[in-house]
Amino acid sequence: MADLLECLLQALPPIARITGGYATLTDKEGVRIRTVDSQGQEVQTLKGRIFNLAKEAGHTGSVSVGPSQITEGAEAWCLPLGEYVLAASNFERLKCEQELEESLKQALPFIARVAGGEAVLFNEEGRRVASVGVDGQTNVNFLGKVSVAAQQAIQSQRPVIGESISGIGAVAVRIPITKKFGFGFNNEQGVRRQQKLMEEVKKFQYARYNFTDIIGSSEAIAKIKSRAAFVARGISSIIISGETGTGKELFAQSIHNASERRSNPFIAINCGALPESLIESVFFGYEEGAFTGAKKRGSPGAFEQANSGTIFLDEISEMDFNLQSKLLRVLQEREVTRIGGSKPLRVDVRVIASTNRDLVEMINNGTFRNDLYYRLNVVELKVPPLRERAEDIPALVKVFINEFNNLLGKFVTKISDQAIYQLCRYQWPGNIRELKNCIEYMMNIVSVNESTIGVSHLPQYIQNVMAQGNQQEQPIGTLAEAVAAVERESIIWALKYTDGAKKEAARLLDISTTTLWRKMVELGIETNVSIK
């Protein structure tokens, strides 16, 4: 009997390792003599405890199979051998499976992001027990749905590829992990993007935004959206005025897409970004041989390309004075003549122009034609600066966080109240564009494991401004002084951000390099020193 006991005790470690759980030797009453884990280590806390299933086997003299007393869901078997009962369970194997399942569940947001669609976890019935979209949020509507393909994957223990049940045209992959669960993912987002692109191509339309893309519910933005939507139905020229970064082109595209011309071209030209030597050919096109380097058979200009559609003249205030008279003629006669050509071409184009400068002041200074101004300014829309609609900042921040979550592979779910408070207090001289750059900065420095943006993540220049504001009340000056101070601060920040690269700083501020130089001189910012 002593030899049998020693033999059984020696057998416990290999049995535990092979079965993936605990191996136990008890007496006929189920009292544990020794229990070892899959690593061969004795579990002292179980010594002397009664194992009911082993007790049953000891009394009946036959093999018993049933649930483990240690972990719910684990199974055990008991084999009576003389005065002893040998038992084993799959407790640790089950624990590993549960840990693997939990790990996969936590990985679903990453899988969804990389795959570009929904990621799911399903059970042995093919029923979804977890479902996450590309935004990292749980898809409550899809939980509990059964997929036949997922059932097949579990039954065959092989991956199954087929149609997704959550997105039309999307392809899904179902991969079994064990006989009890598996995971799957689809390319729903990629398919939607492709479908949207095809719709845009079919409509010959290059304007991407609609009024629903203009975020905010403040009274200031609601009024301008309402008025813009109303005038979109007309054919008259429009001037959209507003500070840099307020979203003037967003309004221009939305107006086009809300008009009867939405199925026709939308052509945007930045008047401040093109050199004077090229802008005329870009506007009106040219005939073959009109100048050295001209394309064979010539090229149509922006007005020809926009025929029956809309042309958006961004930064109209930066247009050369001599070119303004030619533009005026196009607007009056509704026809263009290519450079080097003699035959005028009829065009039907709605003109939307934008400016971040005071055109009336420019007229008084002799740098903008008053007749062109009145031709363009049939309807004027003034986009409010962000500081006048601070209540929209939380909604804008949420949109930008979601956007950069997707772009940067982060999983930020919220921003602290203190950080939102500071963002709402800041004056935002660069408006929405600056806010978006600020959120992009914070999303870059937040770690992958952080889910909340705090005050510590704010750019240093904003923290400095807030600190100064807390230390002393700002003296009240004239509006012109306040605007100049904000412009100066914004330009200096842009130059610091781009390490003194003026071309990049101008692009960031959405102004021409010429305008940047002029502003630097006016505001006393050194132009011959690279700001680091």
Side-chain angles (χ1 to χ4, degrees), residues 109-330:
F110 300 93
I111 296 171
R113 181 72 50 76
V114 173
E118 180 195 19
V120 302
L121 201 65
F122 52 84
N123 60 19
E124 65 270 21
E125 299 174 350
R127 190 180 305 278
R128 299 184 187 196
V129 295
S131 174
V132 176
V134 292
D135 58 357
Q137 302 299 313
T138 298
N139 291 332
V140 180
N141 295 334
F142 293 134
L143 289 178
K145 285 193 174 183
V146 176
S147 166
V148 175
Q151 287 180 338
Q152 293 173 351
I154 290 290
Q155 292 169 1
S156 65
Q157 286 295 289
R158 292 176 179 274
V160 175
I161 301 176
E163 293 183 359
S164 170
I165 65 174
S166 61
I168 299 176
V171 176
V173 179
R174 288 87 172 185
I175 303 173
I177 302 301
T178 70
K179 291 185 177 180
K180 291 187 175 180
F181 72 91
F183 80 95
F185 55 87
N186 63 36
N187 62 342
E188 181 180 353
Q189 188 181 53
V191 169
R192 285 181 178 175
R193 286 176 177 171
Q194 187 176 12
Q195 290 172 344
K196 186 176 181 180
L197 178 61
M198 291 301 296
E199 290 173 0
E200 295 296 312
V201 172
K202 288 178 181 177
K203 292 192 294 184
F204 300 98
Q205 180 176 318
Y206 303 96
R208 296 181 295 149
Y209 298 109
N210 295 284
F211 286 115
T212 54
D213 296 308
I214 301 175
I215 308 302
S217 56
S218 63
E219 182 179 358
I221 200 66
K223 282 184 177 180
I224 188 68
K225 283 173 66 174
S226 176
R227 189 179 183 201
F230 180 79
V231 300
R233 298 191 292 266
I235 61 173
S236 300
S237 299
I238 297 173
I239 283 186
I240 304 175
S241 61
E243 296 177 9
T244 296
T246 51
K248 296 184 289 295
E249 183 167 357
L250 199 65
F251 271 92
Q253 292 192 22
S254 300
I255 290 170
H256 172 78
N257 283 331
S259 72
E260 296 296 327
R261 298 171 180 260
R262 57 183 169 271
S263 59
N264 296 317
F266 175 90
I267 304 298
I269 301 294
N270 189 325
C271 302
L274 294 172
E276 294 178 16
S277 59
L278 291 180
I279 193 167
E280 188 172 355
S281 62
V282 170
F283 266 37
F284 310 123
Y286 55 84
E287 296 290 359
E288 180 179 353
F291 51 82
T292 303
K295 291 181 181 179
K296 192 175 183 180
R297 290 188 294 276
S299 176
F303 277 89
E304 283 185 68
Q305 296 174 47
N307 192 28
S308 73
T310 303
I311 189 167
F312 175 54
L313 304 179
D314 196 13
E315 290 193 43
I316 188 72
S317 55
E318 305 304 313
M319 181 180 289
D320 177 69
F321 191 81
N322 294 325
L323 186 60
Q324 292 177 24
S325 61
K326 296 181 180 180
L327 174 61
L328 176 63
R329 188 175 187 282
V330 172

Side-chain angles (χ1 to χ4, degrees), residues 341-366:
S342 57
K343 182 180 179 181
L345 303 170
R346 298 291 296 176
V347 290
D348 173 22
V349 176
R350 185 183 198 180
V351 177
I352 301 177
S354 76
T355 179
N356 57 12
R357 300 178 62 186
D358 187 340
L359 294 183
V360 174
E361 182 180 344
M362 292 182 66
I363 291 171
N364 294 334
N365 294 334

Side-chain angles (χ1 to χ4, degrees), residues 17 22 41 123 146 196 233 330 345 413 428 448 490 517:
R17 186 175 66 252
Y22 287 173
Q41 300 298 315
N123 60 19
V146 176
K196 186 176 181 180
R233 298 191 292 266
V330 172
L345 303 170
T413 57
W428 300 109
V448 175
S490 184
W517 279 98

